[in-house]
Amino acid sequence: MSRTLIRGGTVVSTTGAQLLDVLVDGERIAALLDPGALGADLAAGVGTVIDATGRYVVPGGVDGHTHMQMPFGGTEASDTFETGTRAAAWGGTTTIVDFAVQSAGERLQDTMAEWHRKADGRCAIDYGFHQIMGSVDAESLKGMSELVAEGVTSFKLFMAYPGVFYSTDGQILRAMQSAAELGALVMMHAENGIAIDVLVEQALARGDTAPYFHGVTRPWQLEEEATHRAIMLAEVTGAPLYVVHVSAAQALAQIAEARGRGRNVFGETCPQYLYLSLEEHLGAPGFDGAKWVCSTPLRARAEGHQDALWRYLRTGDVTAVSTDHCPFCMKDQKDRGRGDFSKIPNGIGGVEHRMDLMFQGVVNGLISPQRWVEVCCTAPARMFGLYPRKGVISPGADADIVIYDPKGHTSIGIGRTHHMNMDYSAYEGFEVDGHVDTVLARGRVIVDDGRYLGRAGDGRFLKRELSQNLL
Ligand code: DUC
Ligand code: ZN
Ligand code: ZN
């Protein structure tokens, strides 16, 4: 593969924004150079020159939380590894970390092997795996060390979904003890599922069956309580803790408090919690709210969660922004919950829109361009043991690069920017500033000027190291 020069752009990193040329050699970044400073020796092998004048040159996005083909509620997330990673590429994300799912009674290793089979040879971009532990027992605890050796260095546990993925506090404690010994990261779905199930049963008995009641029966108090409990269990065991898809301001306050005490506790949020709400979306007329049924749920805008999330994003107590991409179509999937919101498969698709949606934080003066790059690219790479191969534009890193036009415009919705395998868009009608113009994945241009040039199978499995983000 020959050399590529990206010329004239502003390279944005976590520490600053600077006019620099980027020289790519094969799959890697070879050098960052003062504009026009390419010497004759390096210029010799340059086959392609990309003019990035007036645009940002940023690391390819790292989405640390996706669910391609995830089985849920008798159906399966509608994006395959092929369609979902292609959509991610369209949106400037060049790495995902997806979840292998262990349900009760299955061996961890078998589920991991199955997820490799699903993804192998199909992905457009590089990918790693976390392991969901749906069954914490002696065998799965032993299996954790084998997975860490294979580059699967994080384990998700659930305090929600009794009878499906739920772990008791005792099981959580044991898994955290094993994780602490291994140096592995515990990822937590922090909602009190036992209490939620009672509220759900009572709501349905009252006839409150519409999608809106999915949100009402998962109040923020039950997210705050579970987050606090998870933090305390992590403290007792010494395990590093990453709380996924945080939507409640009060849960983030718990995380901020633990971080203030120097604990290895991290928070993740997702664009849906920053932009969508219980009132407008879950509460949409008829059955439309089903489009936005996910857990944790969208919160009441009136309660101030969104403002708090943006604040915590700025201060650093939200470490990373992922999508929790878990798409289901309305037809035949979300439809299953007509007349009973508890049967609506939980999940929102958004892998394609994270970079653009988070860029609105820059446009609106809520975060800096540097922080945008940090939460979307660099921090998730460090959090999940992929740094400095991913998440940074520096010599030796994989040449995963996005040329982003801050003056561009993106129209989100079906028939416009929509490559996910869903029959609706959770962000339909969003008109946003900024545009993903060109995407390079390991040195190859895979998206350019509205054309997709990648191939299924280009993406490789990433063996991850332990988290590089511990306090
Ligand atoms: N939440 C979702 O919305 N979908 C999948 C799993 C989860 O925890
Ligand atoms: Zn979850
Ligand atoms: Zn998830």
Side-chain angles (χ1 to χ4, degrees), residues 100-156:
V101 181
Q102 180 207 30
S103 301
E106 292 176 333
R107 284 184 67 243
L108 277 191
Q109 273 64 15
D110 294 343
T111 61
M112 184 52 67
E114 193 189 336
W115 254 257
H116 276 293
R117 273 196 299 277
K118 290 188 196 199
D120 189 27
R122 296 194 172 84
C123 293
I125 54 171
D126 289 351
Y127 61 98
F129 288 131
H130 312 285
Q131 177 72 56
I132 283 177
M133 293 180 76
S135 169
V136 177
D137 55 25
E139 193 181 354
S140 53
L141 289 172
K142 257 199 263 134
M144 289 170 76
S145 62
E146 278 174 47
L147 289 183
V148 168
E150 292 167 14
V152 177
T153 55
S154 37
F155 298 86
K156 183 178 178 192

Side-chain angles (χ1 to χ4, degrees), residues 70-253:
M70 182 192 182
F72 194 101
T75 184
E76 192 169 86
S78 54
D79 262 320
T80 62
F81 279 90
E82 181 171 345
T83 61
T85 57
R86 189 167 58 217
W90 272 106
T93 285
T94 52
T95 301
I96 59 164
V97 191
D98 202 89
F99 288 82
V101 181
Q102 180 207 30
S103 301
E106 292 176 333
R107 284 184 67 243
L108 277 191
Q109 273 64 15
D110 294 343
T111 61
M112 184 52 67
E114 193 189 336
W115 254 257
H116 276 293
R117 273 196 299 277
K118 290 188 196 199
D120 189 27
R122 296 194 172 84
C123 293
I125 54 171
D126 289 351
Y127 61 98
F129 288 131
H130 312 285
Q131 177 72 56
I132 283 177
M133 293 180 76
S135 169
V136 177
D137 55 25
E139 193 181 354
S140 53
L141 289 172
K142 257 199 263 134
M144 289 170 76
S145 62
E146 278 174 47
L147 289 183
V148 168
E150 292 167 14
V152 177
T153 55
S154 37
F155 298 86
K156 183 178 178 192
L157 298 165
F158 286 79
M159 301 168 109
Y161 303 124
V164 189
F165 298 126
Y166 174 81
S167 290
T168 64
D169 289 352
Q171 288 173 312
I172 290 170
L173 187 94
R174 284 186 197 280
M176 283 182 167
Q177 286 171 333
S178 298
E181 257 172 52
L182 295 165
L185 186 67
V186 171
M187 305 173 79
M188 188 62 76
H189 181 128
E191 287 186 293
N192 185 329
I194 300 285
I196 286 168
D197 273 11
V198 174
L199 295 179
V200 169
E201 198 186 306
Q202 292 171 343
L204 293 174
R206 277 197 307 272
D208 290 339
T209 60
Y212 178 75
F213 295 98
H214 171 78
V216 172
T217 54
R218 305 181 92 93
W220 60 260
Q221 289 88 343
L222 298 183
E223 187 183 350
E224 180 186 10
E225 182 278 324
T227 303
H228 176 74
R229 189 157 30 102
I231 291 169
M232 291 299 128
L233 292 169
E235 279 199 38
V236 168
T237 57
L241 174 69
Y242 178 91
V243 186
V244 294
H245 50 53
V246 182
S247 62
Q250 295 81 357
L252 263 169

Side-chain angles (χ1 to χ4, degrees), residues 285-300:
F287 187 65
D288 233 31
K291 293 175 178 170
W292 297 282
V293 164
C294 62
S295 297
T296 59
L298 303 184
R299 300 277 171 211

